Amino acid sequence: MAEPSPKLVRIDPLRLHIECREPMVTDATIFASEAIKLEPDAVRQLCDAASLRPAKKVLATADIHVGFGIPIGAVLGLDNAIMPAAVGYDINCGMRLLRTPFSRGDIDVDKIAASIARDIPLGEGKTNLVLDKAGIEAVINKGAAAIPALAERINHRAWEAFEADEFADDLKRIEENGCLPADMAAVPRAAIQKGSAQLGTLGGGNHFIEIQYVREVFDRSLAETFGLFENQIVVMIHSGSRRFGYEVADQYMNIAAQRPEMAERKKMLSFLTANTDAGKNYIAAMAAAANFAFTNRHVMALLVRRCFNRMFGPTPLPLVYDIAHNMAKLETHRGSRLWVHRKGATRAFGGERMAGTVFAKTGQPIITPGSMGTASFLLVGTGNSDESLCSVNHGAGRVMSRTAARGKTRKGKIIAPGLISDEQFRRSMKDIKLITSDKRRIKEEAPDAYKDIEEVIRIVTECGWARVVARMLPLAVLKG
């Protein structure tokens, strides 16, 4: 007999409630309008998350879709517990936004995109900056702050764009200043072996580099604070911890599943008590992967700057912000200390929680992409998001699986046609330069495979969690 679907009760135009029923230990909330299509399996996965013994708060943003065990777009607040699958395989996948001094029409976008694609390997399994033992140890322990030490030790073209004063400002504009407390002893050997040659690589799937222009400014004061103006060229980077993070996640999911108290659970739903040796080790290894990801995005940003410098002469490309998703952090919410897991969700602190940073007056910047071919947004947290554990969606969210989008083939024969036709894909990418390492699978990332980002952003702003600063549209897309 098929498992019954959880009962969703709409409590207002933006919120759906799932009542706590056996085996759940807490209720759950989905922040979605009538226009957002919900996958029944993703809703069931959210109920699975609400069935975890340490769960105190469980919710999902409008980009919820099926993930490994826990849906993407889920936010879990766990009491003294850490759950590798609720962080995911790509630890600290995140977004970075660089601004340029150019306006639309000032530069040859196709030419600069091609230059970036030559410098930054696109796709899975690629290598770039190779780290020796001292180099990987520096990245694990210092995160993005390891860049100057790497530049002294390793010869690489990225350092042509390194400038000390610019770097000091960059660190202030990275979540956690680009470094979390880590321990190399907790990192699986496979992560070091397979990840140490992948700094400065994009990866596959939904990772991208986009050259965009600011189509619309919604808050001129905030836009000026961030150095943004209408028609301005900006560069957005979406990537994570590569194979390094995958190996950390996989090993600790297995460790969690093997613990006697997890005997009834699957690998994808197992957790560790945070104050045990195993829990502390995962937290330290997760931090190491996060530091790798911060450094990876920074190396790519340096390579982007190098391309602009070589084409236009010395050109400042200041960092607006670098924000993480796929992370777990110990935070206080309404008096409770919880391990807040954001899987495909982004932190959205207001100014008060950003005290001591350069964003204390603005609130935390939030970089939210749509899909290739559609808009991306820059927002700021308002501080009014306690109900979501200070979290918002990390993107638009899929409406169909990758297989459904591209279809199935076997030995060159079509078994099931894709839901997205070649013509539909071409129309959705009209007037956008596309560079991809895998033309055969690129339809997996078609704009029509994703939810409407405009509706998703509307939900966030009407919930009062964030304010929109600017809306950007793509001119060139680089995909793995």
Side-chain angles (χ1 to χ4, degrees):
M1 180 183 293
E3 184 179 350
S5 297
K7 185 178 180 181
L8 287 168
V9 177
R10 181 163 293 284
I11 56 177
D12 69 26
L14 302 176
R15 294 165 177 84
L16 290 157
H17 181 255
I18 306 172
E19 184 181 353
C20 178
R21 297 180 179 179
E22 282 287 340
M24 295 166 65
V25 299
T26 185
D27 57 2
T29 305
I30 300 176
F31 296 90
S33 65
E34 294 280 4
I36 298 294
K37 179 182 177 183
L38 298 176
E39 299 169 291
D41 285 346
V43 177
R44 291 189 187 96
Q45 286 186 329
L46 193 67
C47 292
D48 288 340
S51 302
L52 300 170
R53 176 171 43 80
K56 299 299 179 185
K57 179 89 171 178
V58 174
L59 62 104
T61 60
D63 64 345
I64 179 175
H65 56 287
V66 171
F68 183 76
I70 302 296
I72 297 162
V75 180
L76 279 61
L78 304 184
D79 180 18
N80 193 33
I82 193 83
M83 184 176 182
V87 173
Y89 279 102
D90 194 2
I91 298 167
N92 186 11
C93 187
M95 306 298 307
R96 175 172 285 230
L97 184 65
L98 301 167
R99 58 185 173 92
T100 82
F102 300 113
S103 294
R104 186 184 184 193
D106 288 349
I107 66 173
D108 186 331
V109 170
D110 291 4
K111 189 174 180 181
I112 193 69
S115 176
I116 293 170
R118 286 192 293 271
D119 264 8
I120 298 177
L122 312 177
E124 298 174 358
K126 303 297 176 62
T127 62
N128 194 351
L129 197 161
V130 180
L131 298 172
D132 58 13
K133 183 180 178 181
I136 194 72
E137 186 171 358
V139 170
I140 286 170
N141 291 327
K142 296 182 179 180
I147 292 287
L150 298 182
E152 289 183 2
R153 293 183 53 82
I154 302 167
N155 183 34
H156 196 270
R157 61 189 180 278
W159 317 138
E160 294 175 24
F162 177 82
E163 202 281 322
D165 290 340
E166 183 177 56
F167 179 70
D169 186 65
D170 286 342
L171 290 183
K172 298 175 185 177
R173 299 175 185 279
I174 304 174
E175 187 174 322
E176 308 295 350
N177 301 124
C179 183
L180 292 169
D183 183 356
M184 188 166 178
V187 176
R189 183 179 299 177
I192 294 171
Q193 290 175 337
K194 297 179 181 180
S196 59
Q198 289 194 316
L199 276 187
T201 65
L202 184 66
N206 63 358
H207 294 152
F208 66 78
I209 299 171
E210 286 189 5
I211 301 173
Q212 307 168 338
Y213 74 100
V214 178
R215 178 65 180 83
E216 189 173 3
V217 167
F218 294 88
D219 188 314
R220 294 200 175 275
S221 177
L222 281 172
E224 289 175 6
T225 299
F226 295 133
L228 299 177
F229 54 87
E230 287 182 355
N231 284 316
Q232 181 182 19
I233 297 292
V234 296
V235 181
M236 186 175 288
I237 300 171
H238 177 206
S239 189
S241 50
R242 308 294 287 109
R243 190 64 187 230
F244 189 104
Y246 180 96
E247 294 296 338
V248 168
D250 197 56
Q251 174 156 314
Y252 281 96
M253 285 183 202
N254 286 326
I255 289 172
Q258 290 164 9
R259 298 186 67 80
E261 62 271 30
M262 295 293 112
E264 300 299 317
R265 295 196 174 276
K266 300 176 182 178
K267 171 181 175 179
M268 63 184 68
L269 289 172
S270 296
F271 57 86
L272 298 162
T273 304
N275 58 5
T276 62
D277 287 345
K280 291 176 183 177
N281 285 341
Y282 172 70
I283 292 165
M286 175 189 67
N291 292 346
F292 188 95
F294 284 132
T295 312
N296 183 40
R297 290 196 291 274
H298 201 86
V299 170
M300 284 190 280
L302 288 173
L303 290 169
V304 169
R305 286 169 172 166
R306 175 183 181 269
C307 289
F308 273 82
N309 289 343
R310 287 169 66 88
M311 194 165 292
F312 306 109
T315 306
L317 265 68
L319 176 61
V320 176
Y321 198 54
D322 182 301
I323 192 168
H325 46 260
N326 294 0
M327 285 295 299
K329 294 183 180 179
L330 185 61
E331 298 173 0
T332 299
H333 293 274
R334 294 180 176 174
S336 297
R337 292 285 277 171
L338 299 173
W339 278 99
V340 179
H341 298 64
R342 298 181 175 98
K343 183 177 183 180
T346 293
R347 198 178 74 177
F349 281 177
E352 185 175 347
R353 284 183 178 257
M354 296 300 287
T357 76
V358 295
F359 303 108
K361 293 183 178 179
T362 63
Q364 180 177 4
I366 304 161
I367 304 166
T368 308
S371 64
M372 62 178 192
T374 63
S376 296
F377 289 81
L378 177 68
L379 308 92
V380 292
T382 61
N384 299 322
S385 53
D386 281 346
E387 66 175 340
S388 71
L389 296 177
C390 296
S391 309
V392 299
N393 56 291
H394 82 312
R398 300 189 71 91
V399 293
M400 67 181 73
S401 71
R402 298 178 186 281
T403 301
R406 74 172 187 273
K408 287 184 180 180
T409 60
R410 184 179 298 157
K411 295 181 179 179
K413 293 183 179 180
I414 296 174
I415 298 173
L419 297 179
I420 296 173
S421 69
D422 291 346
E423 179 57 30
Q424 183 180 1
F425 179 73
R426 280 193 292 270
R427 286 199 307 268
S428 67
M429 295 299 293
K430 187 175 183 293
D431 299 326
I432 299 170
K433 174 68 174 180
L434 175 61
I435 300 176
T436 177
S437 66
D438 193 344
K439 294 181 180 180
R440 184 177 58 86
R441 300 180 62 178
I442 191 62
K443 283 199 298 183
E444 295 178 1
E445 291 298 312
D448 291 325
Y450 284 82
K451 295 184 176 77
D452 179 2
I453 186 62
E454 311 281 348
E455 177 67 7
V456 170
I457 294 296
R458 183 186 73 82
I459 293 166
V460 169
T461 56
E462 291 198 9
C463 282
W465 302 339
R467 295 199 304 275
V468 179
V469 178
R471 177 176 179 265
M472 291 80 71
L473 292 178
L475 295 170
V477 177
L478 284 67
K479 297 281 285 189

